[in-house]
Amino acid sequence: MKTSSSNQAVFWRGIAEEDSNPVSSVAHRERILVLVGASGNRKQLIEHLKPRYHVLIPDETGAVDDIGQGSPTEASFDLAILDPAGAVRWRQVLAEARSHAQPVFLPAMLIASRKDLSRALQACDSLIDEFLLTPIDPSELTQRVDMLLRARRQALTQSTRLAYLTSHDQGSGLPNKTLFLDRLSQAIQDGTVLGRQVYAMAIHIPLTPVLKSLGNRALEEAGLVCSERLKALLGDNYSLARLSVDEWALMLRAGASTSDALEVFQTIQQLTATPLDVRGERVHITPAVGIAVYPDDAANAASLLDCAGAALARTERMQHPTFYSPTVQRQALAQIRTEAGLHAALALDQFELWFQPKVNLKDRSLTSVEALIRWRLPSGDLVPPNKFIPIAEGNGLITLIDRWVLAKACESMRTWQTQGGPARVAVNISAQHLEQDDFVTTVEQTLSHFSISPAALELELTETALADLNQENIDKLRALRNMGVGIALDDFGTGYCSLSYIHRLPITTLKIDKCFIDNIVTESADAAVTQTIVSLAKNFHLKLVAEGIETEEQCQCLVSLEVETGQGYLFARPMPFAELQQWVGDEFAQIDVKSISH
C-alpha cells in the first residue's frame, strides 16, 4: 500500500534487545508498532514496553510503504501506539493496515495530553480503540496494552477457526471444495512452469441405500467412515478433499502420469474389500472415479474439476475409471437435458407403451407380450429406452416410470380381455421400485383396479438387480409369486447370479440373453451355453424364453434345444397397442388360457 508522500521502501527496525529470560525472547513476543513523534513520550514508551514486547518503529531514513506481510490477517505488528503527531503522519497507512487485517482485530491506542485529546481523537476518527493520557503511568500503560492484545489474540483465534471452517469439511476434517480448488490452482501453476500434467479425480461412493434404509445420520456416518478409509489408503501423498456426503476429489502432483492415476485408482478400489458396518448393517461400497488432466482437458482448476465430474457422471463400469474427453462433456450435457426432459415427459404424458409378442417356437402361436416403454418427443421423434432408463435410474424417476408402465400394461390387458383374451403381459421392474416399502401393495392395487388376474402378469427383473437383493425384497417377490404373479429373470447369463442364489429366488422364468442367440448357429460355445441354461431350467422347473431371435436358423436351433418360447424380429418388432391388435388379428380368440398357468 502506498502513501501520498513517499514511494520509498519501508524498513522496520526492532530496537528492543532480548532480555536475559530465554522464555520471553523477542522472537516469541507480540509486536508493538510505535508511531509517535520525536517527543519524550517516545523514549518513555520504548523503555516501558521493551522488557515484555517486541517494539517496532519506522526507520528514520524511509517512509512507510507497507506494514502488512502475507495475508491481511498476518500483519507485521499486533498493536499500534501513536500520538497526535504520529496520527497526522501515519493515519492513512494505519487505516489501510487495519482495513486489510479485517476481520481480525488490529488495535490502535492513542497517547495524548488532556488538552490535545479531543483534537487528536477527531483527527484519528475511528482508528483509535483506546487512549492513555500523559504523563504515562507505567502500570496503566501495561494494563491498557495487555487488554488490547488479549482482544487481538481472541480475534486471531476466532479468525483461524473461521478460516478452518470455511476451508474444511466439518465432519471428516478433510479440505473442502474451496481449499481443494486453491491447491489445484497452485498445482496447475507449478505444472505450467514445469511443463507437466496435473491430474484431478472425482470420486463417488454410492451410499444412497444407507440413506433409504437407515436415515440421514447413518448416511453421514457411512460418509465419514469412507473418508477415514480413503485417508488411510492414500496417506499423505495426495491432496484429498470431501465435496459432499458421498463425493470426494483427489489431486495428483504435477508431473504424474496416466500410470500413476491408474495406480491410485487401484488403491481406491481397495475400499470394496471390506463392507461398511453402519448401525449393525453391512453395506458394500463400490467407488466410481472420473479423471481429467491439465492442460489437455481444461485450463484452470474449476474447469478441471468440472471435467473430472463429467467423466464420473459417464462411468458405466465401476471396475474402470473414466477419463474426460470433449465427447464425455457433450454426453454429460445431453444427460442433463434428458433429466429435465424426463420430468416434463411424466407431467405431459409423453410416454407410450409398446408391446413385443412372445410366441411358441414350434407353432408360432402367441403366448404373451412384453410391455416396453417409449418416449415420444414433441417433435414426434422417439427416444429409445436405453437412452433414458439409465438416467431415470440415476435420478430416482425410475419408480414413477415403473408405476406408469405397470398401470398402462394392466389397462391394455383389460382391453384384451374384453376382446376375447386373456393374455399375459410381462413388465420390466427396476430394483429401485422393488425396494419401495409399498411395492407389493402397488402391484396388488393395480391388478385389482383393472380387474386383472395375477396370473396374467409377469414381472421381469435383470440378473444384476436380483443379485443385489436383500431378504426383505426377496420376501416381496415371494409374496407376489404366492398371489400368482410370474417372476422372470431377464438377460440371464450376463450377470452374477449363482445357482444357489437362483434356487432361493421365487423365479418362474429364465430369459436367455440375445448375446447367446446371435451366434448360436455358428458358435459351438454359445450353443453349449444355451444348452446349459436349458438343463438348468429343467432342473429348477423353470420356463424358458429366448430373446432376440432374428433368423429361422436360430429358431430351429432353439427348437432342437427344447426352448419353447421366444421373441425377436423374426416374429415381430415392438409396436403400439393398436398395431399389436391388428397384428394378432383373428388369433385373439385362439389364445390358449393354459399358456398363462404356472
Side-chain angles (χ1 to χ4, degrees):
M1 63 191 76
K2 304 291 183 182
T3 64
S4 58
S5 59
S6 174
N7 291 323
Q8 294 179 343
V10 174
F11 302 93
W12 296 107
R13 177 163 56 91
I15 63 170
E17 299 179 353
E18 298 183 16
D19 57 31
S20 59
N21 185 352
V23 177
S24 61
S25 66
V26 171
H28 292 85
R29 288 183 248 169
E30 289 162 302
R31 299 157 70 87
I32 297 181
L33 175 64
V34 177
L35 299 174
V36 298
S39 64
N41 291 333
R42 177 171 174 173
K43 180 178 180 181
Q44 187 180 12
L45 277 171
I46 293 173
E47 289 178 350
H48 288 323
L49 295 173
K50 69 177 183 180
R52 298 185 58 186
Y53 306 104
H54 190 151
V55 180
L56 300 172
I57 62 171
D59 192 283
E60 294 296 341
T61 62
V64 174
D65 191 54
D66 190 355
I67 55 176
Q69 295 177 350
S71 72
T73 60
E74 296 175 348
S76 60
F77 63 93
D78 300 292
L79 168 65
I81 299 179
L82 64 162
D83 65 358
V88 173
R89 182 178 182 185
W90 305 108
R91 182 184 181 282
Q92 182 178 347
V93 173
L94 182 59
E96 292 181 7
R98 283 164 61 95
S99 174
H100 281 279
Q102 293 297 323
V104 177
F105 177 49
L106 187 59
M109 183 170 68
L110 176 68
I111 303 290
S113 64
R114 187 175 300 276
K115 68 176 182 177
D116 295 332
L117 180 60
S118 178
R119 177 176 54 85
L121 287 175
Q122 185 176 4
C124 294
D125 198 11
S126 60
L127 292 181
I128 302 304
D129 302 290
E130 186 60 84
F131 65 87
L132 183 65
L133 294 176
T134 57
I136 296 173
D137 182 331
S139 62
E140 188 176 1
L141 173 65
T142 300
Q143 181 181 5
R144 301 287 177 90
V145 168
D146 284 351
M147 178 188 67
L148 292 173
L149 291 177
R150 184 165 59 250
R152 173 166 167 77
R153 285 193 296 270
Q154 292 174 349
L156 282 170
T157 300
Q158 293 171 358
S159 176
T160 301
R161 177 60 178 167
L162 178 62
Y164 179 86
L165 291 176
T166 56
S167 62
H168 289 76
D169 173 64
Q170 295 185 41
S172 65
L174 288 171
N176 62 13
K177 184 177 181 180
T178 301
L179 181 55
F180 179 80
L181 288 177
D182 182 68
R183 293 178 176 178
L184 186 58
S185 295
Q186 184 60 54
I188 287 175
Q189 292 179 20
D190 295 342
T192 302
V193 172
L194 299 174
R196 295 176 179 176
Q197 293 178 317
V198 178
Y199 283 73
M201 291 185 173
I203 305 168
H204 174 62
I205 302 177
L207 296 175
T208 303
V210 178
L211 171 63
K212 288 184 176 179
S213 60
L214 300 176
N216 289 329
R217 290 188 179 180
L219 178 65
E220 178 61 24
E221 290 175 13
L224 293 178
V225 172
C226 288
S227 295
E228 291 301 320
R229 288 191 181 182
L230 282 170
K231 286 192 289 186
L233 286 172
L234 298 169
D236 299 325
N237 297 323
Y238 309 98
S239 181
L240 177 67
R242 190 181 187 196
L243 307 184
S244 66
V245 172
D246 54 2
E247 292 186 3
W248 291 260
L250 185 68
M251 178 184 69
L252 278 66
R253 67 189 184 282
S257 65
T258 301
S259 297
D260 294 327
L262 293 175
E263 183 178 345
V264 172
F265 172 78
Q266 293 297 330
T267 300
I268 294 172
Q269 285 297 97
Q270 296 178 31
L271 287 170
T272 63
T274 307
L276 300 181
D277 186 355
V278 183
R279 301 193 176 186
E281 296 289 339
R282 291 170 63 82
V283 180
H284 293 270
I285 55 175
T286 306
V289 176
I291 303 174
V293 187
Y294 167 86
D296 299 341
D297 298 329
N300 58 65
S303 297
L304 190 63
L305 183 58
D306 286 344
C307 289
L312 174 64
R314 301 304 303 171
T315 299
E316 296 180 355
R317 300 179 61 189
M318 301 296 190
Q319 295 84 358
H320 303 287
T322 299
F323 285 81
Y324 175 82
S325 70
T327 300
V328 170
Q329 178 69 12
R330 288 193 294 271
Q331 292 171 337
L333 291 174
Q335 177 173 327
I336 292 171
R337 296 187 183 108
T338 301
E339 287 185 0
L342 283 173
H343 287 276
L346 281 168
L348 302 176
D349 197 23
Q350 295 175 350
F351 290 121
E352 297 178 4
L353 202 60
W354 288 28
F355 299 87
Q356 185 174 30
K358 299 180 184 180
V359 302
N360 183 296
L361 295 183
K362 289 183 179 181
D363 61 17
R364 310 298 170 90
S365 62
L366 179 69
T367 61
S368 61
V369 294
E370 179 179 0
L372 300 167
I373 191 171
R374 296 292 186 267
W375 177 13
R376 189 175 296 278
L377 299 175
S379 63
D381 296 331
L382 283 176
V383 182
N386 64 339
K387 296 296 184 181
F388 66 86
I389 291 298
I391 296 175
E393 290 175 336
N395 64 15
L397 287 177
I398 190 62
T399 297
L400 294 176
I401 292 175
D402 274 2
R403 290 175 176 172
W404 182 90
V405 171
L406 179 63
K408 202 71 175 177
C410 289
E411 182 183 22
S412 299
M413 288 306 99
R414 183 177 63 181
T415 302
W416 273 40
Q417 289 178 353
T418 61
Q419 297 176 350
R424 169 187 281 176
V425 62
V427 174
N428 293 280
I429 295 297
S430 68
Q432 291 183 34
H433 191 186
L434 180 59
E435 289 173 356
Q436 301 299 310
D437 293 338
D438 62 350
F439 174 72
V440 175
T441 303
T442 298
V443 175
E444 280 185 299
Q445 291 178 347
T446 304
L447 290 171
S448 175
H449 177 75
F450 293 101
S451 301
I452 301 298
S453 167
L457 176 65
E458 185 175 66
L459 302 179
E460 293 188 5
L461 290 97
T462 64
E463 184 176 349
T464 303
L466 285 174
D468 293 332
L469 294 184
N470 56 31
Q471 187 58 48
E472 180 182 357
N473 290 329
I474 293 175
D475 291 341
K476 293 177 185 177
L477 292 178
R478 185 167 287 113
L480 292 171
R481 180 68 193 94
N482 291 337
M483 290 168 47
V485 175
I487 308 296
L489 181 53
D490 199 7
D491 302 332
F492 183 70
T494 63
Y496 314 98
C497 284
S498 65
L499 295 183
S500 61
Y501 197 77
I502 291 175
H503 183 65
R504 290 176 53 210
L505 296 172
I507 297 171
T508 58
T509 304
L510 291 181
K511 298 190 70 176
I512 306 173
D513 189 77
K514 182 181 184 298
C515 66
F516 300 114
I517 307 302
D518 287 340
N519 301 310
I520 193 172
V521 177
T522 58
E523 297 290 338
S524 58
D526 286 344
V529 170
T530 305
Q531 178 64 67
T532 301
I533 296 173
V534 172
S535 299
L536 177 66
K538 288 182 178 180
N539 291 332
F540 283 100
H541 306 289
L542 302 175
K543 295 181 179 181
L544 275 175
V545 175
E547 298 180 289
I549 303 172
E550 297 182 355
T551 67
E552 190 65 42
E553 291 78 10
Q554 291 172 345
C555 180
Q556 294 306 317
C557 184
L558 289 165
V559 170
S560 68
L561 292 173
E562 299 183 356
V563 178
E564 296 180 353
T565 308
Q567 64 187 108
Y569 289 177
L570 176 64
F571 314 112
R573 294 172 178 265
M575 61 190 82
F577 185 59
E579 292 183 21
L580 177 66
Q581 291 174 301
Q582 182 178 359
W583 180 86
V584 174
D586 296 335
E587 294 187 30
F588 272 110
Q590 302 174 16
I591 296 173
D592 185 2
V593 177
K594 294 182 180 179
S595 69
I596 66 170
S597 63
H598 293 271

